[in-house]
Amino acid sequence: MSAKHATTSAPILSTLTERWSPRAFDSDHSLPENALLSAFEAARWSPSASNTQPWRFIVARRGSESFAKIEATLAGFNSVWAGAASALVVNLAVVKNEAGEPQRWAEYDLGQAVAHLSVQAHSEGLYVHQMGGFDAEKISEAFGLGDELRAVSVMTIGKLGLPEQLAEPLKERELAPRSRLEVDDIIVVND
């Protein structure tokens, strides 16, 4: 078993035990359109409050103008490694409905859609890494987004690269075993 496979306290799907968020991506890899379409199809079919489906995505393949725009908004360490991914995706929540009323659950629902996308992408042999380190205002300006759309996160999608391509301390983090809180630590009440 790889150091990146999750050690679980109960059986879960193998796709979930194998899924992790690398920083080393193969910079020569191009996304197969069918795998990318399947990932977004999984997002499309995720649950949402009142079936509002309040998620939208900006998909930018490496080498495109949109990729460069997104990459320019990345902060800190993210700007060092994310450019090797096959694509950058901005995850957008539709926070207002057509009447201009707030959609309270939009960010939660977006998170579910991205989770479904991540699992499907992994089952297709792709890796996804979520990032909160980006400038949401610059994303909004770069793509002319209205106030009904909120950039919540950016993710990389691509084929796994080699840890050796990363500088320290990113390489060290890439090679470290995965860890999580125990189930008892995340359940507040269990009657």
Side-chain angles (χ1 to χ4, degrees):
M1 179 183 298
S2 161
K4 291 299 181 179
H5 280 75
T7 302
T8 63
S9 57
I12 64 174
L13 297 171
S14 61
T15 302
L16 295 174
T17 63
E18 296 166 4
R19 188 223 57 82
W20 65 285
S21 303
R23 290 175 183 84
F25 285 91
D26 180 347
S27 60
D28 294 326
H29 178 259
S30 294
L31 286 170
E33 283 304 312
N34 59 337
L36 191 59
L37 179 60
S38 292
F40 283 99
E41 188 68 15
R44 175 178 169 234
W45 285 101
S46 65
S48 65
S50 300
N51 196 30
T52 54
Q53 304 167 50
W55 47 75
R56 302 294 184 271
F57 303 96
I58 297 170
V59 181
R61 289 160 186 80
R62 188 181 54 252
S64 71
E65 180 182 335
S66 294
F67 189 98
K69 286 180 183 179
I70 298 167
E71 190 176 21
T73 72
L74 299 179
F77 282 138
N78 294 337
S79 64
V80 174
W81 60 268
S86 301
L88 292 173
V89 177
V90 180
N91 303 310
L92 304 167
V94 183
V95 295
K96 293 181 184 177
N97 65 19
E98 291 178 7
E101 302 163 330
Q103 297 199 116
R104 182 173 176 217
W105 306 111
E107 291 185 26
Y108 177 85
D109 290 343
L110 171 64
Q112 290 196 90
V114 171
H116 281 70
L117 182 153
S118 297
V119 172
Q120 181 64 39
H122 190 79
S123 76
E124 300 277 343
L126 299 172
Y127 286 81
V128 172
H129 187 114
Q130 303 296 321
M131 297 176 281
F134 72 100
D135 188 322
E137 189 174 306
K138 286 183 181 176
I139 289 278
S140 186
E141 290 170 10
F143 292 97
L145 303 179
D147 65 353
E148 76 283 0
L149 294 175
R150 179 177 300 142
V152 174
S153 61
V154 174
M155 65 183 158
T156 56
I157 301 177
K159 185 177 175 188
L160 189 61
L162 299 172
E164 294 76 26
Q165 73 193 61
L166 299 171
E168 295 295 346
L170 293 175
K171 179 181 172 184
E172 181 181 330
R173 291 174 72 178
E174 194 80 352
L175 294 170
R178 294 172 64 195
S179 66
R180 290 289 192 272
L181 296 172
E182 297 296 328
V183 171
D184 288 343
D185 295 330
I186 64 172
I187 297 176
V188 177
V189 175
N190 190 8
D191 283 342

